[in-house]
Amino acid sequence: KKKLKISGRELVSVPPEVFGLDQLQVLEMSPERESCLKYQLELLPREISHLQNLTCLYVDSNNLKKIPAEIGTLSHLERLTLSNNSLSSLPPEMGALQKLHSLHLANNSLTEVPPALCQLRSLTFLDVSDNKICTIPSSIRHLEKLETLLLVFNSLESLPEDVCLLRNLCTLWLGNNRLQSLPASFGELVNLDWGYNYCSCNFEGNPLESPPPEVCSRGPREIRDYFLSFHR
């Protein structure tokens, strides 16, 4: 793959020469995860549309406030990381990224799961942790291939029944929200791992009943043991 990594704590803009690399497949403009650094890139230029062969775009830990509509023209994009920025919204054109399977949006200022994201039928991984999200659109049910959904540290007060239609979910983190109950059909998410060695479903930090009767009545037997164990 043709890959370019641009680094430096003084990074504030994308060198215009980059947009002439029309065969580029991987563009990385993020500090190493272990470094705790943050770059200062505030704007992803509209010229990003020139990189039509991009499959991976990494722009974590910058100071992005807006994503241009032209992001929707990157039809080959499979992985997009935008965590640790200052995003409060996303352009509806992102719904055109039909090859996207991994999207990282943790630690921004989003107040909702943007409806456009629910059009991403190939999405298998979605991380919207540590935002200000208080609602999830019912259209999330369209993400039929979704396997991982991370929603920890938000402001969710309820979980729509539509989430329970995501039958391929293997990992669902809901910790540190404001959930008092779960949908009655929650137990139908049978691919969640309820084992003791690795729990793929996280609820800690919510004012949930112990155990939620509407879940235990329909879900796997392991659900009751799980809730009883973490409320001891």
Side-chain angles (χ1 to χ4, degrees), residues 103-211:
L103 178 58
H104 298 241
L105 291 164
N107 195 21
N108 277 283
S109 299
L110 299 173
T111 57
E112 65 173 355
V113 175
L117 301 190
C118 299
Q119 303 172 29
L120 303 176
R121 303 300 178 89
S122 295
L123 208 61
T124 61
F125 181 99
L126 175 59
D127 183 1
V128 285
S129 301
D130 204 1
N131 278 280
K132 303 174 182 177
I133 294 171
C134 54
T135 59
I136 299 176
S138 61
S139 53
I140 197 171
R141 65 182 181 276
H142 297 311
L143 301 181
E144 298 174 353
K145 295 183 180 180
L146 198 63
E147 297 177 359
T148 300
L149 177 58
L150 308 183
L151 285 158
V152 295
F153 290 100
N154 276 289
S155 301
L156 290 173
E157 295 185 356
S158 63
L159 197 65
E161 289 275 352
D162 301 88
V163 170
C164 303
L165 298 175
L166 304 176
R167 300 299 167 80
N168 286 311
L169 272 185
C170 297
T171 302
L172 175 61
W173 288 3
L174 295 165
N176 294 94
N177 277 281
R178 302 172 184 172
L179 297 172
Q180 296 185 14
S181 62
L182 294 172
S185 55
F186 190 86
E188 295 175 10
L189 294 173
V190 295
N191 286 320
L192 294 178
D193 176 12
W194 296 95
Y196 290 102
N197 294 328
Y198 173 71
C199 184
S200 65
C201 201
N202 171 287
F203 297 100
E204 286 84 345
N206 285 286
L208 285 170
E209 298 179 14
S210 171

Side-chain angles (χ1 to χ4, degrees), residues 1-47:
K1 289 185 177 180
K2 297 183 179 180
K3 178 178 179 179
L4 174 64
K5 177 176 175 63
I6 304 175
S7 60
R9 67 177 68 214
E10 302 302 322
L11 179 65
V12 295
S13 63
V14 184
E17 294 83 1
V18 170
F19 303 116
L21 304 175
D22 56 4
Q23 297 303 308
L24 196 64
Q25 293 180 321
V26 179
L27 177 57
E28 184 172 351
M29 296 180 288
S30 302
E32 299 295 334
R33 290 182 180 273
E34 298 79 9
S35 69
C36 297
L37 290 176
K38 191 163 186 175
Y39 295 166
Q40 299 303 313
L41 187 66
E42 294 188 2
L43 177 67
L44 195 61
R46 298 170 58 184
E47 288 80 6

